[in-house]
Amino acid sequence: MSLPALQSMVDPFGRHVTYLRVSVTDRCDFRCSYCMSEHMTFLPKKDLLTLEELDRLCTAFVAKGVRKLRITGGEPLVRKNIMWLFRALARHLASGTLDELTLTTNGSQLPKYAAELRDAGVKRINVSLDTLRPDRFKAITRWGDFSQVMAGIEAAEKAGLAIKLNAVALKGVNEDEIADLLTFAHGRGFDLTLIETMPMGDIDGDRTDQYLPLSIVRARLMDRFTLENIPYRTGGPARYVRVKETGGRLGFITPMTHNFCESCNRVRLTCTGTLYMCLGQDDAADLRSPLRASADDALLAEAIDRAIARKPKGHDFVIDRRTRQPAVARHMSVTGG
Ligand code: SAM
Ligand code: SF4
Protein backbone atom coordinates (compact mmCIF):
# COMPACT_ATOMS: atom_id res chain seq x y z
CA MET A 1 0.00 0.00 0.00
CA SER A 2 1.21 3.53 -0.79
CA LEU A 3 2.33 5.74 2.05
CA PRO A 4 1.06 9.33 1.90
CA ALA A 5 3.41 11.60 -0.06
CA LEU A 6 5.80 13.66 2.06
CA GLN A 7 4.73 16.70 0.04
CA SER A 8 2.79 16.89 -3.14
CA MET A 9 3.26 18.70 -6.41
CA VAL A 10 0.03 19.99 -7.91
CA ASP A 11 0.03 21.85 -11.22
CA PRO A 12 -2.22 24.79 -12.18
CA PHE A 13 -4.82 22.37 -13.57
CA GLY A 14 -5.08 20.43 -10.32
CA ARG A 15 -3.10 17.44 -11.61
CA HIS A 16 -0.86 15.74 -9.05
CA VAL A 17 2.63 15.07 -10.37
CA THR A 18 3.60 11.67 -9.02
CA TYR A 19 5.59 10.19 -11.90
CA LEU A 20 9.08 11.17 -13.05
CA ARG A 21 10.72 9.81 -16.18
CA VAL A 22 14.47 10.23 -16.32
CA SER A 23 16.46 10.02 -19.52
CA VAL A 24 19.91 9.01 -18.28
CA THR A 25 21.59 9.28 -21.68
CA ASP A 26 20.61 10.52 -25.14
CA ARG A 27 22.83 7.84 -26.72
CA CYS A 28 21.65 4.54 -28.08
CA ASP A 29 23.00 1.39 -29.70
CA PHE A 30 20.04 1.43 -32.17
CA ARG A 31 18.93 4.06 -34.68
CA CYS A 32 15.18 3.41 -34.98
CA SER A 33 13.91 5.14 -38.09
CA TYR A 34 10.99 6.91 -36.35
CA CYS A 35 13.14 8.04 -33.40
CA MET A 36 16.51 9.15 -34.73
CA SER A 37 18.33 9.94 -37.91
CA GLU A 38 21.17 7.57 -38.70
CA HIS A 39 23.80 10.21 -38.06
CA MET A 40 22.93 11.77 -34.75
CA THR A 41 25.01 14.31 -32.90
CA PHE A 42 24.89 13.43 -29.24
CA LEU A 43 25.59 15.61 -26.25
CA PRO A 44 29.22 15.93 -25.23
CA LYS A 45 29.79 13.55 -22.30
CA LYS A 46 30.95 16.48 -20.15
CA ASP A 47 27.44 17.99 -20.25
CA LEU A 48 25.89 14.95 -18.62
CA LEU A 49 24.93 14.92 -14.98
CA THR A 50 26.88 12.35 -13.00
CA LEU A 51 25.00 9.34 -11.68
CA GLU A 52 25.35 10.83 -8.18
CA GLU A 53 23.69 14.03 -9.41
CA LEU A 54 20.89 12.08 -11.08
CA ASP A 55 20.36 10.23 -7.82
CA ARG A 56 20.18 13.54 -5.92
CA LEU A 57 17.66 14.97 -8.39
CA CYS A 58 15.46 11.86 -8.33
CA THR A 59 15.61 11.87 -4.54
CA ALA A 60 14.48 15.52 -4.47
CA PHE A 61 11.46 14.54 -6.59
CA VAL A 62 10.68 11.57 -4.34
CA ALA A 63 10.74 13.95 -1.36
CA LYS A 64 8.22 16.07 -3.28
CA GLY A 65 5.77 13.24 -3.76
CA VAL A 66 6.94 11.30 -6.83
CA ARG A 67 5.89 7.65 -6.33
CA LYS A 68 7.00 6.18 -9.65
CA LEU A 69 10.37 6.54 -11.37
CA ARG A 70 11.02 5.35 -14.90
CA ILE A 71 14.60 5.24 -16.14
CA THR A 72 14.79 5.69 -19.89
CA GLY A 73 16.89 7.27 -22.63
CA GLY A 74 18.28 6.93 -25.36
CA GLU A 75 19.05 3.42 -24.27
CA PRO A 76 19.37 3.61 -20.48
CA LEU A 77 21.35 0.37 -20.20
CA VAL A 78 24.20 1.68 -22.37
CA ARG A 79 25.06 4.35 -19.80
CA LYS A 80 28.25 3.34 -18.02
CA ASN A 81 27.76 1.99 -14.50
CA ILE A 82 23.97 2.48 -14.72
CA MET A 83 23.36 -0.31 -12.21
CA TRP A 84 24.82 1.97 -9.55
CA LEU A 85 21.88 4.35 -10.07
CA PHE A 86 19.30 1.55 -9.85
CA ARG A 87 20.87 0.21 -6.67
CA ALA A 88 21.02 3.72 -5.17
CA LEU A 89 17.38 4.52 -6.01
CA ALA A 90 16.25 1.18 -4.59
CA ARG A 91 16.60 2.67 -1.09
CA HIS A 92 13.40 4.64 -1.72
CA LEU A 93 11.55 1.40 -2.45
CA ALA A 94 12.89 -0.06 0.76
CA SER A 95 11.82 3.00 2.78
CA GLY A 96 8.32 2.96 1.24
CA THR A 97 8.59 6.47 -0.23
CA LEU A 98 8.60 5.09 -3.78
CA ASP A 99 6.07 2.60 -5.17
CA GLU A 100 7.84 1.66 -8.36
CA LEU A 101 11.25 1.82 -9.99
CA THR A 102 11.16 0.72 -13.60
CA LEU A 103 12.71 1.24 -17.01
CA THR A 104 12.03 1.35 -20.73
CA THR A 105 14.64 -0.43 -22.79
CA ASN A 106 15.27 -1.72 -26.28
CA GLY A 107 16.26 -5.01 -24.64
CA SER A 108 19.74 -5.32 -26.15
CA GLN A 109 21.53 -5.21 -22.79
CA LEU A 110 19.06 -7.31 -20.83
CA PRO A 111 21.07 -10.53 -21.17
CA LYS A 112 23.71 -8.72 -19.11
CA TYR A 113 21.54 -6.81 -16.65
CA ALA A 114 18.15 -8.52 -16.15
CA ALA A 115 19.12 -10.33 -12.94
CA GLU A 116 20.79 -7.25 -11.46
CA LEU A 117 17.72 -5.15 -12.21
CA ARG A 118 15.54 -7.64 -10.38
CA ASP A 119 17.95 -7.58 -7.43
CA ALA A 120 17.70 -3.78 -7.34
CA GLY A 121 13.93 -4.01 -6.82
CA VAL A 122 12.74 -3.56 -10.41
CA LYS A 123 9.64 -5.71 -10.88
CA ARG A 124 8.26 -4.72 -14.30
CA ILE A 125 9.99 -3.47 -17.41
CA ASN A 126 8.91 -2.11 -20.78
CA VAL A 127 10.72 -3.57 -23.77
CA SER A 128 10.27 -1.91 -27.15
CA LEU A 129 9.65 -4.39 -29.96
CA ASP A 130 8.03 -3.30 -33.21
CA THR A 131 8.32 -6.54 -35.19
CA LEU A 132 8.96 -10.26 -34.85
CA ARG A 133 10.77 -10.55 -38.19
CA PRO A 134 14.57 -10.27 -38.01
CA ASP A 135 14.92 -8.58 -41.42
CA ARG A 136 12.24 -6.06 -40.61
CA PHE A 137 13.78 -5.51 -37.20
CA LYS A 138 17.04 -4.58 -38.91
CA ALA A 139 15.23 -2.22 -41.27
CA ILE A 140 13.42 -0.43 -38.43
CA THR A 141 16.23 -0.24 -35.87
CA ARG A 142 19.04 0.04 -38.46
CA TRP A 143 21.69 -1.13 -35.96
CA GLY A 144 19.76 -3.57 -33.79
CA ASP A 145 20.16 -7.35 -33.59
CA PHE A 146 16.86 -9.21 -33.22
CA SER A 147 18.33 -12.33 -31.63
CA GLN A 148 20.05 -10.24 -28.96
CA VAL A 149 16.75 -8.59 -28.02
CA MET A 150 15.02 -11.97 -27.91
CA ALA A 151 17.78 -13.25 -25.64
CA GLY A 152 17.22 -10.14 -23.51
CA ILE A 153 13.51 -10.84 -23.22
CA GLU A 154 14.27 -14.42 -22.20
CA ALA A 155 16.77 -13.26 -19.60
CA ALA A 156 14.17 -10.88 -18.17
CA GLU A 157 11.60 -13.68 -17.98
CA LYS A 158 14.11 -15.94 -16.30
CA ALA A 159 14.93 -13.23 -13.77
CA GLY A 160 11.23 -13.00 -12.89
CA LEU A 161 10.63 -9.53 -14.32
CA ALA A 162 7.12 -8.81 -15.60
CA ILE A 163 7.36 -7.60 -19.20
CA LYS A 164 5.28 -5.19 -21.20
CA LEU A 165 6.09 -4.93 -24.88
CA ASN A 166 5.78 -1.52 -26.56
CA ALA A 167 5.28 -1.38 -30.30
CA VAL A 168 5.03 1.77 -32.38
CA ALA A 169 2.40 1.24 -35.09
CA LEU A 170 4.01 2.20 -38.39
CA LYS A 171 2.11 2.54 -41.64
CA GLY A 172 3.40 0.20 -44.32
CA VAL A 173 6.08 -1.13 -41.96
CA ASN A 174 4.56 -3.32 -39.26
CA GLU A 175 0.83 -2.73 -39.64
CA ASP A 176 0.36 -6.25 -41.01
CA GLU A 177 2.02 -7.70 -37.90
CA ILE A 178 0.06 -6.15 -35.06
CA ALA A 179 -2.09 -9.27 -34.55
CA ASP A 180 1.06 -11.44 -34.54
CA LEU A 181 2.69 -9.18 -31.95
CA LEU A 182 -0.42 -9.47 -29.83
CA THR A 183 -0.53 -13.26 -30.11
CA PHE A 184 3.19 -13.47 -29.31
CA ALA A 185 3.00 -11.14 -26.30
CA HIS A 186 -0.10 -12.69 -24.78
CA GLY A 187 1.16 -16.20 -25.49
CA ARG A 188 4.17 -15.42 -23.30
CA GLY A 189 2.11 -13.71 -20.60
CA PHE A 190 3.26 -10.18 -21.53
CA ASP A 191 1.10 -7.08 -21.87
CA LEU A 192 1.36 -5.29 -25.20
CA THR A 193 1.01 -1.54 -25.69
CA LEU A 194 0.67 0.09 -29.08
CA ILE A 195 1.94 3.64 -29.61
CA GLU A 196 1.24 6.22 -32.31
CA THR A 197 4.32 7.89 -33.76
CA MET A 198 4.80 11.41 -32.44
CA PRO A 199 6.36 14.29 -34.38
CA MET A 200 9.52 14.76 -32.32
CA GLY A 201 12.88 15.72 -33.78
CA ASP A 202 14.15 15.48 -37.32
CA ILE A 203 14.40 11.98 -38.74
CA ASP A 204 15.70 11.03 -42.17
CA GLY A 205 12.27 10.26 -43.63
CA ASP A 206 8.84 11.86 -43.74
CA ARG A 207 6.62 11.15 -40.75
CA THR A 208 3.41 11.40 -42.73
CA ASP A 209 4.59 8.20 -44.41
CA GLN A 210 4.81 6.39 -41.04
CA TYR A 211 1.86 7.74 -39.11
CA LEU A 212 -0.87 5.17 -38.52
CA PRO A 213 -3.80 6.18 -36.29
CA LEU A 214 -4.49 3.56 -33.64
CA SER A 215 -8.22 3.98 -34.25
CA ILE A 216 -7.60 2.12 -37.53
CA VAL A 217 -5.46 -0.55 -35.86
CA ARG A 218 -8.11 -1.09 -33.22
CA ALA A 219 -10.88 -1.44 -35.80
CA ARG A 220 -8.82 -4.01 -37.72
CA LEU A 221 -8.05 -6.01 -34.58
CA MET A 222 -11.76 -6.11 -33.80
CA ASP A 223 -12.31 -8.17 -36.95
CA ARG A 224 -10.33 -10.97 -35.29
CA PHE A 225 -10.46 -10.33 -31.55
CA THR A 226 -12.97 -9.25 -28.94
CA LEU A 227 -11.67 -6.19 -27.12
CA GLU A 228 -13.23 -5.42 -23.74
CA ASN A 229 -12.53 -2.04 -22.12
CA ILE A 230 -11.07 -2.46 -18.64
CA PRO A 231 -10.26 0.16 -16.00
CA TYR A 232 -6.66 -1.14 -15.54
CA ARG A 233 -4.07 1.70 -15.28
CA THR A 234 -0.33 1.64 -14.66
CA GLY A 235 0.05 5.33 -13.90
CA GLY A 236 1.03 6.00 -17.52
CA PRO A 237 -0.96 7.29 -20.50
CA ALA A 238 -2.12 3.92 -21.90
CA ARG A 239 -5.79 2.90 -21.98
CA TYR A 240 -6.28 -0.86 -21.76
CA VAL A 241 -8.58 -3.51 -23.11
CA ARG A 242 -8.75 -7.22 -22.31
CA VAL A 243 -8.50 -9.43 -25.39
CA LYS A 244 -11.11 -12.11 -24.79
CA GLU A 245 -9.51 -14.76 -27.02
CA THR A 246 -6.04 -14.53 -25.42
CA GLY A 247 -6.95 -13.33 -21.93
CA GLY A 248 -4.13 -10.76 -22.21
CA ARG A 249 -4.06 -6.98 -21.81
CA LEU A 250 -3.61 -4.61 -24.74
CA GLY A 251 -2.85 -0.92 -24.22
CA PHE A 252 -3.25 2.02 -26.59
CA ILE A 253 -1.18 5.20 -26.32
CA THR A 254 -2.91 7.68 -28.58
CA PRO A 255 -1.31 11.11 -28.29
CA MET A 256 -2.37 11.93 -31.84
CA THR A 257 -5.94 10.66 -32.13
CA HIS A 258 -7.05 11.10 -28.54
CA ASN A 259 -5.67 13.75 -26.31
CA PHE A 260 -4.44 12.10 -23.12
CA CYS A 261 -3.32 15.25 -21.36
CA GLU A 262 -6.24 15.70 -18.94
CA SER A 263 -4.92 13.03 -16.61
CA CYS A 264 -1.20 13.74 -17.10
CA ASN A 265 0.72 13.05 -13.88
CA ARG A 266 4.23 13.11 -15.36
CA VAL A 267 7.27 15.29 -15.85
CA ARG A 268 10.49 14.41 -17.64
CA LEU A 269 14.09 15.00 -16.71
CA THR A 270 16.93 14.86 -19.22
CA CYS A 271 20.47 13.68 -18.60
CA THR A 272 21.64 17.30 -18.45
CA GLY A 273 19.19 18.20 -15.68
CA THR A 274 16.58 19.93 -17.84
CA LEU A 275 13.02 19.34 -16.72
CA TYR A 276 10.31 19.17 -19.39
CA MET A 277 6.86 19.63 -17.96
CA CYS A 278 5.26 18.29 -21.17
CA LEU A 279 6.55 15.84 -23.78
CA GLY A 280 5.04 17.92 -26.57
CA GLN A 281 6.07 21.46 -25.54
CA ASP A 282 9.40 23.28 -25.57
CA ASP A 283 9.14 25.01 -22.21
CA ALA A 284 11.70 23.58 -19.77
CA ALA A 285 13.36 24.36 -16.47
CA ASP A 286 17.07 24.14 -15.75
CA LEU A 287 17.61 22.10 -12.59
CA ARG A 288 21.33 21.61 -13.08
CA SER A 289 22.20 25.16 -11.94
CA PRO A 290 20.30 25.03 -8.64
CA LEU A 291 21.59 21.48 -8.11
CA ARG A 292 25.19 22.57 -8.50
CA ALA A 293 24.79 25.93 -6.74
CA SER A 294 24.58 24.39 -3.30
CA ALA A 295 24.90 21.08 -1.51
CA ASP A 296 21.63 21.88 0.20
CA ASP A 297 18.45 21.00 -1.75
CA ALA A 298 16.48 24.18 -0.90
CA LEU A 299 17.28 25.96 -4.19
CA LEU A 300 16.49 22.81 -6.13
CA ALA A 301 13.15 22.38 -4.37
CA GLU A 302 12.22 25.98 -5.20
CA ALA A 303 13.18 25.50 -8.86
CA ILE A 304 11.03 22.35 -9.04
CA ASP A 305 8.05 24.20 -7.52
CA ARG A 306 8.42 27.04 -10.05
CA ALA A 307 8.55 24.54 -12.90
CA ILE A 308 5.47 22.59 -11.79
CA ALA A 309 3.58 25.89 -11.47
CA ARG A 310 3.90 26.31 -15.23
CA LYS A 311 3.16 22.78 -16.42
CA PRO A 312 1.11 23.36 -19.58
CA LYS A 313 -2.36 22.03 -20.14
CA GLY A 314 -1.28 19.77 -22.99
CA HIS A 315 0.44 19.25 -26.30
CA ASP A 316 -0.78 19.99 -29.80
CA PHE A 317 0.85 17.36 -31.97
CA VAL A 318 -0.16 17.43 -35.61
CA ILE A 319 1.04 15.16 -38.40
CA ASP A 320 -0.34 15.97 -41.81
CA ARG A 321 0.91 16.85 -45.22
CA ARG A 322 0.88 20.58 -44.45
CA THR A 323 2.73 20.22 -41.14
CA ARG A 324 6.04 18.65 -41.97
CA GLN A 325 8.04 20.22 -39.16
CA PRO A 326 8.30 18.24 -35.92
CA ALA A 327 6.09 19.70 -33.13
CA VAL A 328 9.20 19.90 -30.96
CA ALA A 329 12.76 19.99 -32.23
CA ARG A 330 14.19 17.54 -29.71
CA HIS A 331 14.12 13.81 -30.37
CA MET A 332 12.22 11.36 -28.20
CA SER A 333 15.61 10.05 -27.04
CA VAL A 334 16.24 13.35 -25.21
CA THR A 335 13.17 13.13 -22.99
CA GLY A 336 12.79 9.38 -23.17
CA GLY A 337 9.29 8.63 -24.43
N1 SAM B 1 15.69 3.03 -26.01
C1 SAM B 1 14.62 2.65 -25.18
C2 SAM B 1 13.53 1.97 -25.98
O1 SAM B 1 13.57 2.03 -27.20
O2 SAM B 1 12.65 1.40 -25.35
C3 SAM B 1 14.03 3.78 -24.36
C4 SAM B 1 13.86 5.11 -25.02
S1 SAM B 1 12.73 5.16 -26.39
C5 SAM B 1 12.84 6.87 -26.86
C6 SAM B 1 11.17 5.02 -25.55
C7 SAM B 1 9.98 4.66 -26.40
O3 SAM B 1 9.70 5.74 -27.27
C8 SAM B 1 10.17 3.44 -27.27
O4 SAM B 1 9.10 2.54 -27.04
C9 SAM B 1 10.12 3.97 -28.68
O5 SAM B 1 9.54 3.06 -29.56
C10 SAM B 1 9.27 5.21 -28.51
N2 SAM B 1 9.50 6.24 -29.52
C11 SAM B 1 10.65 6.79 -29.96
N3 SAM B 1 10.44 7.76 -30.87
C12 SAM B 1 9.10 7.85 -30.99
C13 SAM B 1 8.23 8.69 -31.77
N4 SAM B 1 8.69 9.63 -32.56
N5 SAM B 1 6.89 8.50 -31.63
C14 SAM B 1 6.39 7.55 -30.80
N6 SAM B 1 7.15 6.75 -30.03
C15 SAM B 1 8.49 6.89 -30.14
FE1 SF4 C 1 17.20 3.94 -29.39
FE2 SF4 C 1 14.87 3.56 -28.20
FE3 SF4 C 1 15.17 5.56 -29.99
FE4 SF4 C 1 15.18 3.05 -30.84
S1 SF4 C 1 13.47 4.10 -29.84
S2 SF4 C 1 16.68 4.66 -31.41
S3 SF4 C 1 16.14 1.98 -29.18
S4 SF4 C 1 16.15 5.41 -28.04
Side-chain angles (χ1 to χ4, degrees):
M1 210 187 72
S2 304
L3 295 172
L6 305 182
Q7 285 181 31
S8 61
M9 293 180 283
V10 185
D11 79 1
F13 304 95
R15 296 170 299 189
H16 287 254
V17 176
T18 54
Y19 183 180
L20 177 69
R21 296 191 177 203
V22 188
S23 173
V24 294
T25 175
D26 62 332
R27 286 165 198 255
C28 188
D29 51 344
F30 292 4
R31 290 289 181 279
C32 301
S33 59
Y34 52 79
C35 177
M36 294 188 182
S37 75
E38 188 152 19
H39 306 285
M40 292 285 288
T41 310
F42 293 110
L43 292 162
K45 289 220 170 107
K46 66 171 177 36
D47 288 356
L48 262 57
L49 296 182
T50 64
L51 293 175
E52 288 79 1
E53 286 174 324
L54 284 169
D55 175 45
R56 205 180 130 202
L57 269 175
C58 291
T59 301
F61 275 95
V62 170
K64 283 197 157 292
V66 158
R67 309 278 331 173
K68 174 168 174 176
L69 275 176
R70 178 175 299 281
I71 306 300
T72 174
E75 174 46 41
L77 298 182
V78 301
R79 171 117 193 213
K80 203 169 157 207
N81 210 12
I82 189 63
M83 283 305 135
W84 179 91
L85 183 63
F86 280 98
R87 284 193 299 270
L89 292 172
R91 72 187 182 283
H92 303 305
L93 293 171
S95 73
T97 45
L98 188 66
D99 294 330
E100 184 168 24
L101 174 61
T102 183
L103 79 155
T104 301
T105 173
N106 65 25
S108 70
Q109 306 305 309
L110 283 175
K112 193 159 134 201
Y113 289 132
E116 269 187 80
L117 286 166
R118 185 72 188 85
D119 291 346
V122 173
K123 293 200 168 71
R124 302 187 307 154
I125 61 172
N126 288 359
V127 182
S128 302
L129 185 70
D130 304 320
T131 175
L132 295 167
R133 301 188 195 169
D135 52 337
R136 211 174 250 190
F137 186 84
K138 189 58 124 205
I140 295 173
T141 64
R142 296 194 186 105
W143 295 4
D145 175 356
F146 182 73
S147 58
Q148 198 179 333
V149 171
M150 282 299 158
I153 289 175
E154 268 162 40
E157 275 186 297
K158 205 162 146 226
L161 293 166
I163 298 172
K164 178 162 79 74
L165 296 182
N166 281 346
V168 178
L170 299 162
K171 187 159 81 183
V173 178
N174 65 354
E175 62 181 310
D176 57 343
E177 244 191 291
I178 307 289
D180 291 348
L181 280 163
L182 186 142
T183 311
F184 168 79
H186 291 179
R188 302 274 285 252
F190 310 155
D191 288 351
L192 172 70
T193 295
L194 302 173
I195 309 174
E196 285 173 345
T197 87
M198 298 173 228
M200 300 187 63
D202 269 327
I203 53 171
D204 297 328
D206 182 345
R207 276 183 208 281
T208 39
D209 295 338
Q210 298 184 334
Y211 173 55
L212 176 63
L214 287 186
S215 46
I216 295 181
V217 176
R218 191 181 174 123
R220 284 184 195 154
L221 285 174
M222 283 165 72
D223 290 339
R224 281 184 57 184
F225 299 98
T226 317
L227 310 182
E228 300 167 333
N229 286 324
I230 50 171
Y232 176 75
R233 299 297 301 269
T234 60
R239 298 286 181 279
Y240 285 88
V241 296
R242 169 91 49 206
V243 180
K244 201 168 164 204
E245 289 74 9
T246 61
R249 270 189 302 245
L250 172 65
F252 294 91
I253 299 187
T254 55
M256 307 302 299
T257 51
H258 173 264
N259 204 306
F260 58 15
C261 304
E262 312 87 67
S263 57
C264 180
N265 58 352
R266 306 169 281 289
V267 288
R268 296 172 156 87
L269 184 68
T270 73
C271 57
T272 54
T274 302
L275 186 73
Y276 284 94
M277 285 72 81
C278 172
L279 180 64
Q281 301 280 357
D282 284 323
D283 186 31
D286 166 36
L287 299 184
R288 182 171 58 182
S289 306
L291 177 84
R292 290 188 173 165
S294 96
D296 179 272
D297 284 344
L299 287 177
L300 182 59
E302 277 170 32
I304 294 173
D305 288 342
R306 279 197 304 274
I308 300 299
R310 49 175 221 266
K311 182 169 159 60
K313 193 163 180 205
H315 64 245
D316 16 62
F317 287 144
V318 183
I319 300 183
D320 64 27
R321 300 253 162 229
R322 281 158 295 148
T323 316
R324 283 170 188 272
Q325 291 301 315
V328 289
R330 64 184 188 278
H331 290 88
M332 187 71 105
S333 48
V334 173
T335 31

